[in-house]
Amino acid sequence: MSQWGAFGLAKKGRSYKRILRHYYTGVKIRQADTRSVRVLLTTGLNSLLFTDARRACNKRLNPGRNYSFGVARGGVELNRANGRRIKKCGNEGAASGGSVRFAGVGSYRGRLIARNVAGGLYAINKVGMQDYVQGVIPNEVPASWPRHALRAQAVAARSYALATRLNGNGYDLYDDTRSQVYGGKGSETASTNNAAKATKGEVIKAGGKVATAY
């Protein structure tokens, strides 16, 4: 789909479904079974500092305090901000609480995960598909665009994510142009969130399968 083309068609009054059928010929717009995705945020960390979390590694936390995941022998450990260990978490540590702020990076819905890979930490966001799409749209097109251009982008983004899962080490998608640009909760806007909600669960299908919506 041409994003600028979608913008032009929306300005002429075309609906998002007409825009999608214009660029993806012969497809059907249907509901899909959606699930969470794991998005790689960064790699090679020695520690991952976070806040706003209510739980991590099955421990209740104070959301107003800073905590960190660190590298432990063969896995990940949960630490206080002063470096004092709270507990070992296994190969992964996961922090949750509505949204979690990854220090210096941004705020993310779902879970912020630290995964030990070869002695360094991968930072991964495990997030529901609807919340993922909300974090993609404003990073792919301007939030000021017409609502049907935003809705077309929402359906295309959801379809692309479901059709192009990677076989990464603990992750399904990148947060950049190798997959789609994803900025998490901190990048969301009211207009793009409305577009995601208005098209909830919708994808484009070809031959009964979710189409790779380049």
Side-chain angles (χ1 to χ4, degrees), residues 66-117:
N66 292 329
Y67 298 89
S68 69
F69 290 121
V71 176
R73 183 175 296 178
V76 175
E77 63 183 18
L78 172 65
N79 300 318
R80 301 187 189 279
N82 61 10
R84 184 178 177 182
R85 179 190 292 172
I86 297 175
K87 67 174 296 186
K88 289 185 177 179
C89 306
N91 189 54
E92 285 189 352
S96 61
S99 65
V100 180
R101 181 168 295 279
F102 179 6
V105 180
S107 181
Y108 295 88
R109 299 183 187 274
R111 295 183 177 184
L112 179 63
I113 295 171
R115 180 179 177 87
N116 188 322
V117 179

Side-chain angles (χ1 to χ4, degrees), residues 125-167:
N125 181 208
K126 183 177 181 181
V127 62
M129 179 58 67
Q130 187 69 6
D131 291 336
Y132 170 74
V133 171
Q134 290 182 180
V136 167
I137 308 170
N139 295 287
E140 288 284 342
V141 294
S144 60
W145 277 13
R147 64 178 181 173
H148 282 283
L150 299 180
R151 291 179 183 184
Q153 183 67 43
V155 177
R158 190 178 296 112
S159 304
Y160 186 88
L162 288 171
T164 59
R165 296 295 185 90
L166 303 171
N167 187 25

Side-chain angles (χ1 to χ4, degrees), residues 105-108 132 135-136 138-139 175 180-188:
V105 180
S107 181
Y108 295 88
Y132 170 74
V136 167
N139 295 287
D175 71 341
Q180 302 180 100
V181 182
Y182 169 69
K185 180 183 177 182
S187 67
E188 293 176 11

Side-chain angles (χ1 to χ4, degrees), residues 3 10-11 20 28 32 34 48 51 53 73 79 81 108 110 115 124 133-134 175 192 206 211:
Q3 290 164 320
K11 290 283 282 185
L20 290 166
K28 296 180 179 180
T34 57
L48 191 166
T51 190
R73 183 175 296 178
N79 300 318
Y108 295 88
R115 180 179 177 87
I124 297 167
V133 171
Q134 290 182 180
D175 71 341
T192 52

